[in-house]
Amino acid sequence: MGMDFSTLRTLISRYCAGEENCVDTRTVYIAHKEPPPGAEAFIQQRFPDNRIVSSKYTFWNFIPKNMFEQFRRVANFYFLIIFLVQLIIDTPTSPVTSGLPLFFVIIVTAIKQGYEDWLRHKADKAVNQCPVHVVQHGKVIRKQSRKLRVGDVVLVKEDEPFPCDLILLSSSRDDGTCYVTTASLDGESSHKTYHAVQDTKAYKTEEEINCIHATIDCEQPQPDLYKFRGNINIYMGNEPVSRSLASQNLLLRGATLKNTEYIYGVAIYTGMETKMALNYQSKSQKRSAVEKSMNAYLVVYLCILISKAVINTTLKYVWQADPNRDEPWYNEKTETERQRHILIRAFTDFLAFMVLFNYIIPVSMYVTVEMQKFLGSYFIMWDDEMFDEELGERAVVNTSDLNEELGQVEYVFTDKTGTLTENNMEFIECCVDGNVYVPHIICNGQVMPGAAGIDMIDTSPGPEAREHEELFFRALCLCHTVQVKEEETVDGIKHGIHQGKSSSFYISSSPDEVALVEGMKRLGFTYLRLKDGQMEILNREDEIERFELLEVLTFDSVRRRMSVIVRSSTGELYLFCKGADSSIFPRVVSGKVEQVKARVERNAVEGLRTLCVAYRRLSPEQYEQVCHLLTRAKLEFQDQDKLVAEAYDLIERDLVLLGATAVEDRLQEKAADTIESLHKAGMKVWVLTGDKMETAAATCYASKLFRRNTQILELTTKRLEEQSLHDVLFELSRTVLRHYGSMPRDSSGLSSEYTDYGLIIDGATLSAVMRPSQEDSNSGNYKEIFLEICRNCSAVLCCRMAPLQKAQIVKMIKASKEHPITLAIGDGANDVSMILEAHVGIGIMGKEGRQAVRNSDYAIPKFKHLKKMLLVHGHYYYIRISELVQYFFYKNVCFIFPQFLYQFFCGFSQQPLYDTAYLTLYNISFTSLPILLYSLMEQHINMDILKKEPTLYRDIAKNSLLTWPIFIYWTVLGVYDAIVMFFGAYFLFDNTTFTSNGQLMTTNTQMMFGNWTFGTLVFTVLVFTVTFKLALDTHYWTWINHFVIWGSLVFFVVFSLLWGGIIWPFLNYQRMYYVFMQMLSSGPAWLSIILLITAGLLPDVVKKVFWRSLWPSTTERIQNADKLYKGQLSEFTPLAALHPPPKASSHQRGSENQRNAPNPPRNNCCRLCANMLSRNSS
């Protein structure tokens, strides 16, 4: 048959299940052409079209899918069950009382989600119908983007986005390259260079492109934007020519073509299989500490609900055990009911009581919390102080579910480069064989004018060193991926190399490379361009030198170096390599290593970023071996990355050291002030960076992470060479714990009376701590010992960290026994892992792309904005939502407990105390808006004071406002108010003087005041009491507060008058007719309402007054002082006088200590403030 068994197996597997489901590769036929006879059999595979679907629902599945998702929430499902119970059995309340609030929540949520999904449908339609140009049979035709198929050859013109993932076949440029920006993928606005397939780059027209006969074997779609492997087989004769494909050949959907007239590419991944679509996956759901507390409280209240239902059911049957109390005379049981089994009757009654008391579970709390979080997040986005004029960016909220978590942070994990520093690199100096070169100051051993007073080491190079000097400069001009742009402006921003001239400028994905190339220009060697595979540089003599670029060994974070292989105009072959000192020095066989190493260490201590440069001459034979090694590695499909890394390792050996460079990355504005404020707020700050220890430590000192009195503890590879890990850990543990146990710590953490410790650990040592050797019996405790050391250090620096190690550290702290709230902040793709791992992830809008911003919960322009986000916004959010949660449970206890008490007076007959309208509207209308507005606008302390006094953050630490004692206090307060309302109304109601005209009440007139009047009286006291309670807790009053709080009470009164003043035709009962008006017509009713409200609020007011007077917190002291100064306290400094005084053995000794202690100088306003405060508190 002419077909072997392997081909048959391939046919069967592809036909039966689709190749993508069976193997790890796919075959793409360019322009859908069959391979020539004798080659692999042609199988037209099934791939998805190019339709992008970001929407969640369709027209047909919206209702069932949305309902399923909403009823997955426990509260919604619970109320659905209650509603169904009300429909099935005879319950004391109408199904409307549960159904209306539930369906209101469901419908509002469905409308919101439906509208958001409609917007996604609209955006998808615009993208999918966008026209694209496709080459078919030698002609260019237009079709809609959604109709593209894998294998189509696409024409893309300048400034157009790529419609799918393409392999670059050719471009308008002679060298087959094109420039691309990937801002929509990773935020990097720099121009990246991509390369066409070597054998197809000469095809420039549609007719030529149509002649290409080739297939592509590549991996199945993967979400990694920076990895791709494959081969292209080009059929030019009898034998196909095979070329390797890598990420530099792959143009991604979402990227945009720049500075290139046009390109031709073949579609290999379309639609939802493109790398951009595969990165749509949502992040894992994070839950805040407040949400966990809410769920715990709901469980408690559910237990209370069940207990109430069980107690009432039991007491009902105990009460009815007497035949005379079986049922009231007007409600005798039917014979059918009498013959039902007692367990069935008991279960039915239990469900009825559950329905009667179910309002203790506040379904509306979920809606209010969602609205509070959603609306409250706009305060961050609208904050003008968090707007950066340089970037033109505001803070961004990617998720509003964690707003209150910003007020609970205990650990801050921050990146260094681009986060603490500007990531704006400036070339400072370079060192060649021990000779220092500083642009415009020292060049070629000559001190330039204006260099007086600058401390530097330099000796003039001799004739032998001149060759190394020029090789060094040429190496930095050639070993990079910098592009040269000729235009004067890009995106409206002017870039010019020559001052005052419209000239070319450098762009690169790495700011370090641009700084080095610009530094070489200032030292006399100018990189001009890469043209037709030739790199051109202008030397000091204004002569153009050309080097043929043969190979680029790209940089990666594992090797920490990059190399190029070039051929000079004289035919000499060079390998130039630059990278971190730790990756270059072990590969060097000659050169002045000690002199260069000394300079590198000195620059690192000063906080400069250093790179080492080396080279190697290659013979033609060695170059042939290199080419063979690289080609074989790139063509190997399995484990290609590993084989290429091994090839690079073999090539980058036996190097000659040339020198080193120093680049400065300056500290961001107010970074030191921000870190100091975080320390005062009680947060521990860790810096996680990939930089070397000396550079990172210098940055930590500059940013005040380490202070002058900080004793540095080292847990590094260098120390482990002298001692075992076991000995080092136990020695550090003893040192820290000895001082920690004997020295009291100052509240601000800045006292000089005790030893302040800072820990430095590197990545290799961390790996040893996290994965200790199996043969060491004591190794199991290493992680716990390390954690104990870290907990007692004020700051920790982790250097030489890989991205995965950053996430491991965050995870380790999260899992420690205290379970602290963590925050991770960074600006680069290497920070994404720790941002996703931390409780709160914050991205910096920096220069390393926008991956961190896209994957974060919040994004801010600069590190300094973190201070206000935590100390002000986080503080406010937590105060507001904690009050919201406690208040909701409190007002529902006040609402339902009288209903529970009422059952003891109605024979446990499940008679409701309140009217159906009151049951339905209590949480929806009468009490919802005041607490929502409070949770959006409350400011218990002035914003300026919160920024000036970071220690106030400690008052709300560790979820202090949602602890069990406070929860129990609110619950007991609710029970007390309910008892006051019920029994107060009961005893006043039973008084014979309680009449409408002041005369004695008779039996006949007493009938006018029945159970609905009694329930309305209790409900009226209830609404006014819980609303006044919120008003007493409000510190920040605006006209909106007044309007909503008093307006809600007016609405209740007006509604009650209308509800009881009109005979509503759609009701089958008129039990509330004239009840409210007749109640208010009685003078004693007015008096009882006032007395009961006062009695309900009095204990809470008295408790607050005594508590503030005897044991005031720092927050309460500042609130009192701020009231004395009418909101102007923030103008008086310092605020330290308002902190609680230090504890002493007696009052007298404390007074002596205060008199003898050296007080900081105060102005008159501060003394006056402290004196008035002391008089007020006494």
Side-chain angles (χ1 to χ4, degrees), residues 518-530:
E518 289 180 345
M520 291 303 99
K521 179 178 178 63
R522 290 155 63 192
L523 287 170
F525 279 77
T526 305
Y527 172 62
L528 298 178
R529 67 186 64 85
L530 171 64

Side-chain angles (χ1 to χ4, degrees), residues 683-808:
M683 294 175 236
K684 293 191 175 181
V685 182
W686 291 33
V687 174
L688 313 180
T689 179
D691 273 358
K692 59 179 68 65
M693 187 182 79
E694 296 81 5
T695 304
T699 303
C700 290
Y701 276 109
S703 62
K704 296 185 181 179
L705 183 74
F706 294 155
R707 295 179 291 275
R708 294 187 180 275
N709 64 333
T710 301
Q711 181 177 335
I712 302 299
L713 307 175
E714 290 189 15
L715 187 56
T716 58
T717 308
K718 184 177 180 181
R719 185 166 182 182
L720 292 185
E721 293 173 356
E722 304 168 359
Q723 292 177 276
S724 68
L725 177 61
H726 178 274
D727 294 340
V728 173
L729 282 172
F730 276 89
E731 181 183 331
L732 295 179
S733 178
R734 286 194 301 269
T735 302
V736 172
L737 294 179
R738 182 173 64 249
H739 285 82
Y740 181 74
S742 61
M743 294 288 184
R745 292 192 172 231
D746 182 73
S747 63
S748 66
L750 299 173
S751 172
S752 60
E753 296 179 0
Y754 71 96
T755 305
D756 184 22
Y757 289 105
L759 177 68
I760 299 178
I761 183 172
D762 58 21
T765 310
L766 179 70
S767 298
V769 171
M770 300 289 285
R771 295 188 296 274
S773 57
Q774 297 296 322
E775 58 269 11
D776 192 345
S777 60
N778 297 322
S779 62
N781 296 324
Y782 285 173
K783 188 185 294 186
E784 288 75 14
I785 298 170
F786 173 68
L787 276 171
E788 192 63 35
I789 295 170
C790 292
R791 278 195 291 264
N792 296 313
C793 292
S794 61
V796 177
L797 166 62
C798 303
C799 49
R800 298 296 194 190
M801 288 285 119
L804 185 59
Q805 287 181 313
K806 294 183 179 184
Q808 287 176 340

Side-chain angles (χ1 to χ4, degrees), residues 1040-1059:
I1040 305 178
N1041 295 75
H1042 286 287
F1043 177 79
V1044 170
I1045 288 179
W1046 313 129
S1048 65
L1049 295 177
V1050 171
F1051 172 75
F1052 163 69
V1053 174
V1054 172
F1055 173 84
S1056 298
L1057 290 172
L1058 291 175
W1059 184 245

Side-chain angles (χ1 to χ4, degrees), residues 128 241 326 390 519 521 545 582 584 647 779 1176:
N128 293 330
V241 177
D326 187 12
E390 180 184 349
K521 179 178 178 63
E545 300 179 4
S582 59
I584 296 293
S779 62
N1176 182 61

Side-chain angles (χ1 to χ4, degrees), residues 826-838:
D827 72 317
N830 60 333
D831 303 316
V832 169
S833 55
M834 74 170 180
I835 285 173
L836 293 177
E837 182 63 45

Side-chain angles (χ1 to χ4, degrees), residues 156-167:
V156 181
K157 299 180 180 178
E158 186 173 5
D159 294 327
E160 288 183 354
F162 301 117
C164 58
D165 291 352
L166 306 167
I167 290 295

Side-chain angles (χ1 to χ4, degrees), residues 44-331:
Q44 187 62 51
Q45 301 170 56
R46 291 171 293 177
F47 299 113
D49 59 20
N50 201 39
R51 186 184 291 110
I52 285 291
V53 180
S54 63
S55 56
K56 193 174 184 180
Y57 308 105
T58 65
F59 179 80
W60 303 107
N61 71 6
F62 173 72
I63 292 178
K65 190 173 181 179
N66 186 263
M67 292 300 103
F68 173 75
E69 290 181 349
Q70 291 207 56
F71 286 115
R72 287 174 64 186
R73 298 189 67 168
V74 176
N76 289 347
F77 183 72
Y78 165 77
F79 275 91
L80 178 64
I81 296 299
I82 293 294
F83 174 68
L84 294 177
V85 168
Q86 288 177 297
L87 290 175
I88 295 170
I89 68 173
D90 183 20
T91 56
T93 57
S94 167
V96 175
T97 58
S98 293
L100 186 61
L102 174 64
F103 292 130
F104 174 77
V105 171
I106 295 297
I107 290 171
V108 168
T109 306
I111 290 173
K112 172 180 172 289
Q113 294 179 351
Y115 174 71
E116 291 174 347
D117 204 62
W118 176 76
L119 292 178
R120 286 191 285 266
H121 272 283
K122 190 176 179 181
D124 290 345
K125 185 177 180 181
V127 171
N128 293 330
Q129 293 185 352
C130 180
V132 295
H133 298 89
V134 179
V135 178
Q136 285 187 0
H137 308 298
K139 296 181 180 180
V140 176
I141 64 171
R142 292 181 65 180
K143 64 167 62 175
Q144 291 182 348
S145 175
R146 63 187 177 89
K147 295 182 179 179
L148 272 180
R149 294 187 300 155
V150 172
D152 283 348
V153 178
V154 182
L155 168 65
V156 181
K157 299 180 180 178
E158 186 173 5
D159 294 327
E160 288 183 354
F162 301 117
C164 58
D165 291 352
L166 306 167
I167 290 295
L168 179 58
L169 297 177
S170 66
S171 77
S172 59
R173 305 174 72 93
D174 294 335
D175 56 1
T177 61
C178 70
Y179 296 122
V180 171
T181 58
T182 57
S184 61
L185 293 171
D186 56 15
E188 297 181 12
S189 58
S190 56
H191 293 200
K192 298 177 181 177
T193 306
Y194 288 81
H195 301 270
V197 178
Q198 190 70 22
D199 299 272
T200 63
K201 69 179 183 180
Y203 296 88
K204 303 292 184 183
T205 65
E206 293 81 16
E207 293 78 9
E208 293 174 345
I209 289 290
N210 192 54
C211 296
I212 296 177
H213 204 176
T215 61
I216 294 176
D217 294 315
C218 61
E219 62 186 2
Q220 293 293 351
Q222 302 290 339
D224 194 326
L225 297 176
Y226 307 104
K227 287 186 179 179
F228 174 77
R229 61 185 185 186
N231 295 323
I232 182 171
N233 302 306
I234 305 169
Y235 302 101
M236 293 182 175
N238 295 329
E239 290 294 329
V241 177
S242 183
R243 301 289 184 192
S244 65
L245 299 174
S247 56
Q248 62 263 31
N249 307 116
L250 180 65
L251 304 173
L252 300 179
R253 176 174 190 148
T256 305
L257 185 65
K258 293 287 185 182
N259 298 334
T260 309
E261 188 178 344
Y262 62 86
I263 64 101
Y264 291 100
V266 58
I268 58 165
Y269 303 133
T270 53
M272 299 307 293
E273 289 188 342
T274 59
K275 289 183 178 287
M276 183 180 75
L278 293 175
N279 278 275
Y280 282 161
Q281 297 168 356
S282 59
K283 305 184 290 291
S284 60
Q285 187 69 26
K286 296 181 180 181
R287 295 171 58 209
S288 68
V290 170
E291 185 178 350
K292 295 174 184 175
S293 297
M294 273 173 48
N295 292 338
Y297 296 163
L298 278 173
V299 171
V300 171
Y301 272 66
L302 186 60
C303 294
I304 293 174
L305 170 62
I306 295 172
S307 302
K308 283 182 177 181
V310 170
I311 291 171
N312 277 265
T313 304
T314 305
L315 291 178
K316 176 178 180 177
Y317 284 89
V318 170
W319 189 81
Q320 291 182 354
D322 187 347
N324 297 325
R325 296 178 177 176
D326 187 12
E327 284 288 340
W329 62 269
Y330 54 82
N331 191 25

